[in-house]
Amino acid sequence: MGLIQEIDYGTPASTSEKQVTLTVDGFTVTVPEGTSIMRASMEAGIAIPKLCATDMVDAFGSCRLCLVEIDGRNGTPSSCTTPVAPGMVVHTQTGRLKDIRRGVMELYISDHPLDCLTCAANGDCELQTQAGVVGLRDVRYGYEGDNHVFKKNDGAENFKWMAKDESNPYFTYDPSKCIVCSRCVRACEEVQGTFALTIEGRGFESRVSPGMHQLFIDSECVSCGACVQACPTATLSEKSVIKIGQPEHSVVTTCAYCGVGCSFKAEMRGDELVRMVPYKDGKANRGHSCVKGRFAYGYSTHKERILNPMIREKVTDPWREVSWEEALTHTASEFRRIQYQYGRTSIGGITSSRCTNEETYLVQKLIRQGFRNNNVDTCARVCHSPTGYGLGQTFGTSAGTQDFDSIEQTDVVMIIGANPTDAHPVFASRMKKRLRKGAKLIVLDPRRTDIVRSAHIEAQHHLPLKPGTNVAVVTALAHVIVTEGLFDEAFIRERCDWDEFQDWASFVALPENSPEVVGQLANVDPEEIRSAARLFATGGNGAIYYGLGVTEHSQGSTTVIAIANLAMATGNIGRPGVGVNPLRGQNNVQGSCDMGSFPHELPGYRHVSGDAVRDIYESLWGVKLDDEPGLRIPNMLDAAVDGSFKGLYVQGEDILQSDPDTKHVAAGLAAMECVVVHDLFLNETANYAHVFLPGSTFLEKDGTFTNAERRINRVRKVMAPKAGLADWEVTQKLAQAMGLAWNYQHPSEIMDEIAKTTPSFAKVSYDYLERMGSVQWPCNEQAPEGTPIMHISGFVRGKGKFIRTEYVATDERTGPRFPLLLTTGRILSQYNVGAQTRRTDNVVWHSEDRLEIHPHDAENRGLRDGDWVRLTSRSGDTTLRALVTDKVSPGVVYTTFHHPDTQANVITTDFSDWATNCPEYKVTAVQVGASNGPSEWQLDYDEQARNSRRIATLEAAE
């Protein structure tokens, strides 16, 4: 093993289809028109010296190292900024060029510290490398006079010197080593789109500055790492490299945070992770990253991580560490006892959207083959199950239609109930890049999210709709498109059922669906609705991206259907630049759905009642499968309270913190006799557990994740499991303890079984993924290279189906006692319930959940920014600090759910989507008032949690 070296071509690739042939140093090379001479030379295997150029940003031409000579032209143009031309003859190594380059390098080195042997970048410094490449052997200018290197000049203070900025928890900024190449500034602008960095001063006074001469931690920097990656010196350096040293080998794997599915090189020194570097060949992220994937991996070695199995008889007892064998034997014995005493359906399990496809497949297999029931559910249902239902009904498949590259051909972006800059930041950067190039933006969201107005971006239309009115507003958009004749009749007649369209069109054209009526209901300007509809219908390629603000409603499935109707009506399906795209919240939400984690579906979204589907698994597994759907999580909890459900295996989920109506979840768990938590940490659900099985991080296992674009990416083990077993091995050993004859030797064998039994995965194997890099399902004989874009020539179901979407107001209503509406979401630096990110330095940016409240509502209640407030609903109450902001509309408050000491879900209700039971997290009637301390519930919860996490210490042997 060694470090994976990626070629830096100096400038981005040209997308032109026209080819140009030229000669570089006597070698003929053919490249697309618009390619730079630098890139063409690299394509021919000739590396031109460079410092300011890198293929992640556009050419800049400032360093003057990449100069070339061209026959027939005067001067020495920079190769990075000069495009190729037919018949061009280029020389990259002449005596004149060598002299110029050495002279330029001398100037750089004359104002640069010569501490190479002790520098963190030693061995990975482009300045050091290029000095060798150009043959620099002496610096004639000396180091006296003006410089940025020394704190003092001749005993006097040197005001050009600046101290190192170590404010960011993950990287340092050392101005003395900056060569002002502007790569970091351009990466922040062009790749990330934050524009947090600039070059202040002019000439010799120039230097990189975060914001208005701020520290990095105080600036708008989002710590994505693009600047660090772009820096050719040690000016911007990871603190992990400074501490550990340069890595010596690397492995490509997939990030375990959000649903973007970024590919990273895990760069190692021995079995110690030095850093995560975004992989340029990763088709989801194209070499970019966010603060979580790039830096927030410290949880894997956090002191609170549990590495030994533990058991206890009662949840009030302290934990007792035991061997794997004892823990698994005890679990199997308890599950068998419960089934004997209470019946076959008295136990069940929950799969994880953070675990691999293979691990999720095994958990649902254990439940169906071993428990002999369908009591399996997943957190994917409590976030995106309406996507599966709505798109399944209209298009015939339960997933998004596009790949992420599709955004590059989009003309109008519509974002509904999603906050991509915080929840899917790497894709958001690609989206913002397209918007800066001229694409138009429509946002439907109760909050003014960052993408509504940011650097060089402003939404043409922001519809700040009242929470709970999604169906009405999307239907009103359709009303405008139909009544003004803006629909795509040719597409509809060819690809959809015309009679169904006419029925739907007559429905949306009704007066009650007009913007004037809906606008009053949703608190949105009717003219904004009309203008947004016209823009989407007539603006070119229109793509809809939506998130949990669509699905986590009592009408979540109806809204997804309404979105699909809108896309079909405007012909925005089946080609690049368009489509319906759910942004998945966790790394394997899509995969956990694909793998059969629902109580009514086997892998591949096939209903358990289907005889032919059950036959496949019955013949392979050697058991008779239940043809009746099992219990969803809320049903399991209800049954537990009723006394008929007594045992639960929870892999990688924390339902006590993430599921709605926390008090009900706690009551259900407390009523069970054997709760098994399989996780990295003693999470909130473990407060009620009887068995704890330590889990493994994504760094410690092999497998696959499936991202929001249906892309199946490899996860590769970079270190041994710290608890001794990978998660799939734990599930297998539990199955064996229960008498099942499982004998998988490697996760690749599990994927082979998935491919054998699931048509959309038919050609997927580890060998195939190694060759292809990644594939998007369906990947089978009909689509051997996968399917980047769905429904190109026709819908999976045949004809696209238009369905009426009647608006039905949620049962959760505001009133005198609870006059405000609470909606919830995420923040950039934290992830889901925070179990991972709270155990990293990301807490620097978000150490607590805050309640966003509009200045008008705050003033009416006598509240100021930072005050402690009590948040109360019909379900419960909690306290947290107020954040007074006009990002939320009057009458709406907003908070995140990353911190268990707040437990925002003690506020949310048990209302849910009519079709899928997806909880209505996004609409809760609340009251907000001043508070002088934690709620009684918080005090009780904290006491119970601390008592539950005690671990008995082994007495010393006599």
Side-chain angles (χ1 to χ4, degrees), residues 392-437:
Q393 292 292 307
T394 51
F395 297 164
T397 188
S398 303
T401 63
Q402 312 295 115
D403 62 0
F404 288 149
D405 288 347
S406 174
I407 190 68
E408 295 173 10
Q409 298 182 50
T410 299
D411 300 308
V412 181
V413 177
M414 182 181 289
I415 302 173
I416 309 178
N419 184 7
T421 54
D422 280 21
H424 307 88
V426 172
F427 176 67
S429 292
R430 299 184 69 178
M431 181 183 283
K432 289 191 292 184
K433 188 170 187 177
R434 180 62 186 163
L435 293 171
R436 291 196 302 274
K437 289 182 177 180

Side-chain angles (χ1 to χ4, degrees), residues 344-363:
R344 178 171 52 85
T345 59
S346 60
I347 63 173
I350 299 173
T351 72
S352 175
S353 294
R354 292 195 284 275
C355 289
T356 64
N357 286 318
E358 294 76 6
E359 289 159 348
T360 302
Y361 177 85
L362 287 192
V363 172

Side-chain angles (χ1 to χ4, degrees), residues 363-382:
V363 172
Q364 66 83 33
K365 179 178 178 179
L366 169 67
I367 292 160
R368 292 187 160 110
Q369 184 190 19
F371 296 1
R372 303 293 292 276
N373 63 49
N374 288 313
N375 292 340
V376 58
D377 205 357
T378 178
C379 91
R381 186 191 53 75
V382 303

